[in-house]
Amino acid sequence: MTFRPEDYRAPLEQAVRSAAEWLDSLPSRPVKPAAPVDQLAAAFARALPEEPADPAAVVAELATLAEPGLMAIGSGRFFGWVMGGTLPAALSADWLVSAWDQNGGLRYATPATAAIEERAGAWILDLLHLPASSAVGFTTGGTMANFVGLAAGRGAVLRAVGWDVNRDGLTGAPRVSVLAGAEVHSSVILALRYLGLGEPTLVAADPQGCIRPDALADALATVTGPSLVVLQAGNLHSGSFDPMRESIRLAHDAGAWVHVDGAFGLWAAVSPRWAPALAGLDTADSWATDAHKTLNVPYDCGIAIVADPTAARSAFAAHTSYFVRDDAGTADPMDLVPELSRRARGVPVWAAMRSLGRSGTVALVEGLADNASALATGLAALPGVEVLNDVVFTQVSVSFGTDDRTVRVTQALIADGAVWMSGSVWSGRAVLRISVSNWSTDAADVAVAVDAVARALATVTTADRG
């Protein structure tokens, strides 16, 4: 095969056409996929062709076959889980990342993407009001961002008692105790599992899912030896924030490393509106968040922040003869995350922040929260609807009475297709969980969503009267 730059033009042009058709459809198309996975699997169940195919035709075929199975996550009417949309500059930058095809691990080898990611990291620290000297790494998502912070913490607390986990592993090591709020997210549980630390000791939470400082103090009093404390910026169901200053002080007084899981809620720190709720956030030791949630960059991109860069580098830096290091001694991107080879996923983050600026980032975050409040107000006005949480950020949890009725309304809503909201269980009750994470959601989308819930509620009510 001969490389000819012009061979890229036709498939790229087809990709632009297919992408534009998809994006143009988002304001009006049903949010749910039109076809289930089995139907899509059957459509793709073809034998591998014996001969090559025209690249542009392959791209067109791919788009056509995939379209019925695509969820309109980029729609302003998508409120499922905590999934953001994609800002125009971030999407376009992500295309450049693919075209450049840089392995973003080494500063020396890929100086452009390393410099872009370093500046993106500095902007993140500035926006979130975190220590400017912190290390920032770009991961696949929140799970691995939590992994990074907890791995750095594991190494640091074991070093403090004379144990080198890098050299000696965990066998025979002092036990590392981990304390977390009763509503800790499963991504933290996974990260602890990957690190060989086991299940955390759960600490009692208040009705909004926030860790109780008095219960944390009691739990810390029972701990001997090295320990980690995991706090939460943005509860999965309520959006509420753990009391940072008091909880971090208690943990540090006990010698614990404090990690903050802020997958979506850490971005509240950009706005003065949440400064009282997040007071003391900057005194933690590590933080995790996602860019593909609140910041609205393409999947996938998590962000791991460690206040002590040495702790991060100790956990992840690899040394071998064929790695050509930059003479400056600055950490390479691969020194701060688990992957040696990786996509330059911090580039769309730079583009998102460059396009928004400081004021635009604040407006984005505040706008998401304002739309969540508007949704809560509209839904609370419907008969038999109860908003269960204090709507302090971007999450709304709703009950329609009994668990059975709530599940049925959720099913009817999903079947309707005008919006997507996901079901869950919170404090032992079935809920309709609403997450406002898309930059494009506006007042019209909120009104459509309230009307869709009203229709689903009416469908269930009619069936019950049957």
Side-chain angles (χ1 to χ4, degrees):
M1 300 177 69
T2 302
F3 171 77
R4 298 185 306 170
E6 61 267 25
D7 290 343
Y8 286 94
R9 187 165 301 278
L12 284 173
E13 289 173 348
Q14 179 60 57
V16 169
R17 286 194 295 272
S18 297
E21 290 171 3
W22 168 253
L23 294 170
D24 288 347
S25 76
L26 291 177
S28 58
R29 70 181 293 122
V31 180
K32 68 175 183 176
V37 65
D38 289 346
Q39 185 175 326
L40 271 293
F44 281 99
R46 305 174 182 181
L48 178 66
E50 292 296 331
E51 301 298 329
D54 174 66
V58 170
V59 173
E61 178 186 9
L62 176 65
T64 299
L65 290 176
E67 194 274 342
L70 297 176
M71 173 79 81
I73 294 173
S75 168
R77 294 170 286 113
F78 181 86
F79 303 102
W81 303 288
V82 190
M83 296 182 180
T86 305
L87 290 162
L91 171 60
S92 304
D94 199 55
W95 288 9
L96 281 179
V97 171
S98 292
W100 293 341
D101 195 24
Q102 303 289 284
N103 184 339
L106 289 166
R107 300 176 88 243
Y108 181 87
T110 53
T113 57
I116 293 166
E117 290 193 341
E118 287 170 12
R119 181 44 43 187
W123 285 350
I124 290 165
L125 297 175
D126 181 26
L127 283 168
L128 299 179
H129 307 288
L130 298 178
S133 58
S134 301
V136 180
F138 295 94
T139 66
T140 53
T143 300
M144 294 314 294
N146 281 324
F147 177 85
V148 169
L150 293 167
R154 181 189 67 174
V157 298
L158 284 172
R159 277 193 301 276
V161 295
W163 188 271
D164 186 341
V165 70
N166 292 340
R167 183 190 64 211
D168 301 323
L170 286 175
T171 302
R175 176 173 176 77
V176 178
S177 299
V178 183
L179 306 180
E183 296 193 14
V184 61
H185 192 268
S186 60
S187 65
V188 172
I189 305 297
L190 280 174
L192 293 172
R193 185 187 304 168
Y194 300 157
L195 288 165
L197 297 178
E199 297 275 338
T201 298
L202 299 183
V203 179
D206 68 15
Q208 296 300 310
C210 300
I211 200 168
R212 283 174 30 204
D214 63 321
L216 177 61
D218 290 342
L220 285 165
T222 68
V223 172
T224 58
S227 59
L228 310 174
V229 171
V230 181
L231 300 179
Q232 192 167 232
N235 178 274
L236 181 69
H237 292 100
S238 72
S240 296
F241 310 98
D242 285 346
M244 294 294 168
R245 188 179 302 283
E246 186 174 4
S247 299
I248 295 170
R249 178 185 60 78
L250 288 168
H252 282 168
D253 286 349
W257 174 284
V258 179
H259 173 73
V260 178
D261 171 24
F264 65 92
L266 198 67
W267 290 98
V270 307
S271 169
R273 184 185 299 183
W274 292 281
L278 290 171
L281 174 71
D282 60 315
T283 63
D285 301 294
S286 58
W287 306 262
T289 191
D290 278 318
H292 56 228
K293 288 184 170 67
T294 308
L295 189 61
N296 279 247
V297 307
Y299 276 88
D300 53 21
C301 187
I303 301 168
I305 305 170
V306 181
D308 178 6
T310 302
R313 295 181 74 171
S314 175
F316 295 105
H319 303 281
T320 187
S321 60
Y322 65 87
F323 288 161
V324 182
R325 296 282 185 167
D326 187 276
D327 291 335
T330 304
D332 281 302
M334 70 178 188
D335 292 339
L336 306 175
V337 296
E339 302 92 352
L340 298 181
S341 299
R342 66 170 182 84
R343 181 177 181 82
R345 57 176 60 92
V347 173
V349 176
W350 180 93
M353 292 186 291
R354 177 65 181 85
S355 68
L356 291 169
R358 186 184 305 276
S359 63
T361 307
V362 173
L364 166 65
V365 176
E366 292 182 347
L368 298 176
D370 290 343
N371 283 326
S373 294
L375 268 168
T377 299
L379 294 175
L382 299 177
V385 175
E386 180 185 5
V387 176
L388 300 178
N389 65 306
D390 298 335
V391 183
V392 298
F393 194 46
T394 59
Q395 308 301 297
V396 184
S397 289
V398 173
S399 170
F400 298 92
T402 66
D403 285 357
D404 175 70
R405 185 175 175 83
T406 298
V407 170
R408 289 163 60 212
V409 171
T410 301
Q411 292 170 340
L413 180 65
I414 290 173
D416 179 87
V419 301
W420 185 280
M421 299 171 180
S422 50
S424 186
V425 176
W426 186 38
S427 298
R429 297 182 66 178
V431 298
L432 176 67
R433 176 171 167 253
I434 301 162
S435 177
V436 183
S437 305
N438 195 303
W439 70 277
S440 69
T441 299
D442 57 19
D445 293 318
V446 170
V448 168
V450 173
D451 288 345
V453 174
R455 284 197 304 276
L457 184 59
T459 297
V460 172
T461 299
T462 299
D464 286 345
R465 289 172 181 166

